[in-house]
Amino acid sequence: MKNTKFTQEQIAELTNLTKTKIGKDGRTIITSPVRISFPRVSEPRKINGKDIYEVCIMIASEDTEKALMVMVNNYKKEVFPDFDTVRLPFQKQETLSSKYQGFEDGLFFNASSSFSVNVVSSDKTKLTKEQVKERLYGGVWAICSLSLYKYGKDGKFGIGFNLRNIMLVADDIKFESTEPKKDDFEGIKIVGKFNVPSPDSFFKEKEDNTFPVNGLSPADLVDSGWTKDLILKAGYTESQCAKYGI
């Protein structure tokens, strides 16, 4: 696993602190320690006007991976006995390894809830919203309480994970946003009214700017809050302003 302070031996020890436990109903599970990415628990995101609390769970143990696969496949046989094509929640980490920190080998999946999720520390103390915001970050290790659900719409059927509760287990290196490569946007130039600089930024970096301002007309500048005096200061003429009734 990438972007971690732990050795492979330490990760093996960490993920074996507790064994994956599947409920008697075959639909609930308590994972062994897993690594969290993209947490949205203290501040949920809105989907169709509803709050959705979610995390991305990166599996770091073969035992957990096997247990989850068996559980999901058994559930699939139960709820979709007559369907061959059913979307499962698992994805390969390697598909995101070049874009995001932490992803390397094994599987990952998303778990979500439309209800607020309890987060506790390793001593089972419930954390406040502010504590969750600080301590539940991309890169932290946790044990997750999950349950399975099925869905089907427009001929597409699948299985997903509900997120129930989270116990924080161990701190690790915090995942940072991946910086775009310098040449990602080479050759792209945005001009026109969607790229109007503020007067302050334009004149502050005047040596790097040229007339006309980003290829804009005086009318475009006025629409974005520029005054006539500032337009003239930028190099436009009285006749150019008059052409647009300025």
Side-chain angles (χ1 to χ4, degrees):
M1 180 166 284
K2 298 190 300 183
N3 307 103
T4 177
K5 66 182 182 181
F6 299 117
T7 65
Q8 286 300 114
E9 291 76 15
Q10 289 172 325
I11 290 175
E13 182 180 355
L14 174 62
T15 56
N16 279 304
L17 287 176
T18 62
K19 294 293 185 181
T20 300
K21 298 178 181 178
I22 297 176
K24 293 181 179 180
D25 59 1
R27 302 185 184 188
T28 57
I29 189 168
I30 307 296
T31 70
S32 65
V34 293
R35 207 164 182 200
I36 301 296
S37 188
F38 304 112
R40 296 185 179 91
V41 174
S42 61
E43 297 178 358
R45 65 170 176 158
K46 290 281 187 181
I47 299 180
N48 297 324
K50 296 182 179 179
D51 287 338
I52 299 297
Y53 304 82
E54 62 184 357
V55 295
C56 175
I57 294 176
M58 304 163 66
I59 305 173
S61 162
E62 288 187 6
D63 288 342
T64 297
E65 186 174 301
K66 290 177 182 178
L68 288 169
M69 290 290 289
V70 170
M71 176 185 180
V72 168
N73 282 316
N74 287 340
Y75 183 67
K76 173 187 170 184
K77 293 176 184 177
E78 176 187 342
V79 297
F80 294 118
D82 301 320
F83 291 84
D84 294 325
T85 304
V86 176
R87 183 176 297 178
L88 302 183
F90 306 111
Q91 300 181 62
K92 293 183 178 180
Q93 290 186 33
E94 62 186 34
T95 61
L96 298 180
S97 62
S98 63
K99 295 181 179 180
Y100 303 109
Q101 293 188 344
F103 292 85
E104 188 171 23
D105 298 318
L107 301 178
F108 75 94
F109 60 92
N110 296 318
S112 61
S113 173
S114 56
F115 302 98
S116 60
V117 176
N118 288 322
V119 181
V120 300
S121 60
S122 57
D123 63 1
K124 301 180 184 178
T125 300
K126 184 177 178 179
L127 303 184
T128 65
K129 182 178 179 180
E130 287 304 312
Q131 289 173 322
V132 172
K133 187 175 182 179
E134 178 183 352
R135 297 182 58 185
L136 180 60
Y137 54 85
V140 74
W141 291 83
I143 294 173
C144 297
S145 171
L146 311 167
S147 63
L148 290 173
Y149 69 90
K150 65 176 182 178
Y151 62 87
K153 186 177 180 181
D154 300 327
K156 297 180 180 179
F157 300 91
I159 294 170
F161 281 100
N162 283 310
L163 179 61
R164 302 172 69 190
N165 299 293
I166 298 173
M167 173 186 280
L168 301 183
V169 174
D171 287 309
D172 204 341
I173 295 173
K174 185 177 182 179
F175 297 153
E176 302 292 342
S177 299
T178 303
E179 294 294 330
K181 296 180 180 179
K182 292 182 178 180
D183 59 352
D184 275 355
F185 309 111
E186 185 178 356
I188 298 176
K189 185 177 181 180
I190 305 299
V191 298
K193 61 183 179 180
F194 298 107
N195 191 28
V196 182
S198 68
D200 287 343
S201 64
F202 178 80
F203 291 113
K204 183 178 181 180
E205 303 173 1
K206 185 68 165 59
E207 63 274 9
D208 297 325
N209 290 308
T210 57
F211 164 82
V213 180
N214 290 358
L216 300 167
S217 72
D220 292 325
L221 297 178
V222 168
D223 288 343
S224 296
W226 284 60
T227 65
K228 181 179 179 180
D229 288 343
L230 290 172
I231 294 171
L232 292 173
K233 183 180 178 181
Y236 293 82
T237 65
E238 286 280 0
S239 60
Q240 287 175 314
C241 290
K243 179 180 178 181
Y244 295 94
I246 300 170

